[in-house]
Amino acid sequence: MIKNKNANDFYKVSLTNAEHRNYLFWSLLAFSFCTFFPVVWLMSDIQNKIVFSGGSSVIANIIAVLIFALYVFMLVFLWKKYRKFKKQGTRNKPSKEIIEGLQYFIEANKLYETGKDSLDRIVITKSATLGFSKPNDEVFIIRAYKHADKFDRQLSELDNQLSALTGFPLDNKKDTITYTDYIFRTRKFERIVVECGTANKNESTLIPLNSELNWNVLKQPHMLLAGVTGLGKTTFLNYLIIEMKKMNADVYVCDPKRSDLSSLQHYWGKEYVASDTNNIARLTREVKDIMNNRFIEYKENAENFVYGNSYVDYGLKPVFILFDELGAFRAGADKKVFSETMANLTEIILKGREMGVFAILSTQQPNANNIPTELRDNLSVRLALGNMSNEAYRMVFGETEGLQTISEKGAGYIYLDGLGWEKPKYFEAPYLDYKKFNFIEEIKKYN
């Protein structure tokens, strides 16, 4: 996690800042030189007047020394101020290549204005300012400062240009009234590689997604998973099932495609797995009833109710309903069954978090026909695996700016609510090598 950076942590670069510092230096040097002789003349004049008027020469000398001391003090003060200003300008100074790269960026994107000086020469009169900070070895930040001028809008939309300049995909973006921070990560999060082993219990609310990112189901309830066939959706769902069983969760699976997930009914029974439309509707109804019964027992019962408690505090096991391919279900179900099922899922998504009931919805086409907008907006975790159309990205994330082409199987973009992200991040889903990993034998460990 990147803490808020102080303004002084950034080295500022523009097309005018170097000239400004040189101007101050020469101005201060000229002032020091030009005032020295008048001060010396003033000291001599005061001494002469005091002596000629009959005063003591000792007093005259003391006054002259005080005037000179005051003058020296003033010069020292001004030069210290200049030194402090110059030191601030070089604090956290990056390499010459970075400074020149940012100056090139300002020039290439026309983030400056020109005019003519008194000698009729064309000079830069105004320039955008970019700040650079490197809080650690893995992250660097480019800050674009806003000054209520014509560049402000452009400075808020530099995602692709800065990625091209740095050679790194944008990890995060923070847009404020006075600046926009573009955050880059020089090292990718490590992908999880799942291996067979002994059964491990997970008593937390966290499901690991990669080396540094976790899904906190209590704070980020419900997930939307989008992606076309063959790009790792099912593998990721298999991984999630294993992690859910490690949490001692009850997992319900709806698979209208009748793919591999539907075969779990051979091990868990039809009580937990459904593939035909009527049984899928029944399963969503039963999970909704589990949720409502928990509300009755722990929220409406005064003996059990504790204000602010969640399912964790009540000692309840989590319940997940995994729905793989809403589009296939909509295509195969009649209107009444589809409406009832979506109503059940909507109630679970709107109310389930507090009582530990969570939904994972998977689809190839995340449009409003398959997932109503009010339902999609309440899914705290959203993933898109593989390359998708701009419209599909917009349906999942609400935006498409800065999303790059995906070449890795099982990779895509992810967004989690509550982490301060302003855009989705590149993500590589956990990897299961089915030649070495037996999914069925793994889940049997948790039955």
Side-chain angles (χ1 to χ4, degrees), residues 187-353:
R187 183 184 66 84
K188 292 193 305 182
F189 291 143
E190 293 181 14
R191 191 174 198 170
I192 293 175
V193 178
V194 183
E195 298 178 350
C196 291
T198 57
N200 297 314
K201 290 185 178 181
N202 179 5
E203 297 180 355
S204 73
T205 60
L206 305 178
I207 294 179
L209 298 177
N210 59 31
S211 60
E212 297 185 40
L213 190 63
N214 295 300
W215 174 22
N216 188 331
V217 297
L218 182 58
K219 294 183 178 180
Q220 298 143 342
H222 319 302
M223 174 184 288
L224 169 63
L225 176 60
V228 298
T229 301
L231 292 177
K233 250 194 337 8
T234 301
T235 295
F236 183 57
L237 291 174
N238 288 342
Y239 169 78
L240 290 178
I241 289 172
I242 295 170
E243 293 301 313
M244 293 168 193
K245 298 305 286 185
K246 288 180 181 180
M247 301 169 80
N248 194 32
D250 287 333
V251 181
Y252 295 82
V253 176
C254 302
D255 182 11
K257 293 189 303 181
R258 289 180 166 84
S259 62
D260 288 344
L261 287 177
S262 66
S263 65
L264 291 175
Q265 65 182 307
H266 301 313
Y267 309 97
W268 292 352
K270 293 184 178 181
E271 178 185 355
Y272 291 97
V273 183
S275 55
D276 65 90
T277 56
N278 289 329
N279 276 318
I280 286 174
R282 171 189 59 81
L283 213 59
T284 61
R285 190 186 318 121
E286 289 176 357
V287 172
K288 181 191 73 172
D289 290 343
I290 291 172
M291 176 189 69
N292 287 330
N293 288 336
R294 287 183 172 187
F295 272 106
I296 293 171
E297 184 173 355
Y298 293 97
K299 290 296 182 181
E300 298 177 14
N301 187 334
E303 293 182 359
N304 293 331
F305 173 72
V306 178
Y307 185 83
N309 271 14
S310 68
Y311 79 97
V312 177
D313 304 303
Y314 291 121
L316 300 172
K317 65 164 65 175
V319 175
F320 292 90
I321 181 166
L322 192 156
F323 204 120
D324 186 20
E325 196 40 62
L326 286 162
F329 177 72
R330 183 177 66 85
D334 61 45
K335 186 175 181 180
K336 181 180 178 180
V337 171
F338 181 76
S339 296
E340 179 198 352
T341 302
M342 296 312 294
N344 292 336
L345 289 173
T346 299
E347 189 170 347
I348 290 169
I349 288 169
L350 293 178
K351 296 168 52 180
R353 182 191 70 85

Side-chain angles (χ1 to χ4, degrees), residues 136-150:
N136 57 56
D137 291 339
E138 297 180 1
V139 172
F140 65 90
I141 305 170
I142 296 177
R143 173 171 291 184
Y145 293 90
K146 301 176 185 177
H147 299 295
D149 55 29
K150 70 177 186 179

Side-chain angles (χ1 to χ4, degrees), residues 8 32 44 49 108 112 129 135 143-145 154 163 186 241 245 280 294 334 348 406 409 417:
N8 291 332
S32 303
S44 177
K49 285 182 178 180
Y112 64 93
T129 302
R143 173 171 291 184
Y145 293 90
Q154 192 175 351
S163 289
T186 58
I241 289 172
K245 298 305 286 185
I280 286 174
R294 287 183 172 187
D334 61 45
I348 290 169
I406 301 298
K409 185 175 181 180
D417 278 342

Side-chain angles (χ1 to χ4, degrees), residues 10-13 102 129-133 141-145:
F10 286 85
Y11 180 84
K12 294 182 179 180
V13 175
L102 293 177
T129 302
L130 300 178
F132 182 88
S133 177
I141 305 170
I142 296 177
R143 173 171 291 184
Y145 293 90

Side-chain angles (χ1 to χ4, degrees), residues 143-162:
R143 173 171 291 184
Y145 293 90
K146 301 176 185 177
H147 299 295
D149 55 29
K150 70 177 186 179
F151 301 129
D152 283 4
R153 184 170 183 178
Q154 192 175 351
L155 291 172
S156 296
E157 301 171 350
L158 300 176
D159 308 44
N160 291 332
Q161 295 97 316
L162 286 174

Side-chain angles (χ1 to χ4, degrees), residues 389-409:
S389 67
N390 285 341
E391 181 61 25
Y393 278 135
R394 191 174 293 108
M395 296 297 289
V396 177
F397 301 118
E399 67 165 90
T400 61
E401 184 182 3
L403 302 187
Q404 308 295 319
T405 301
I406 301 298
S407 57
E408 183 80 16
K409 185 175 181 180

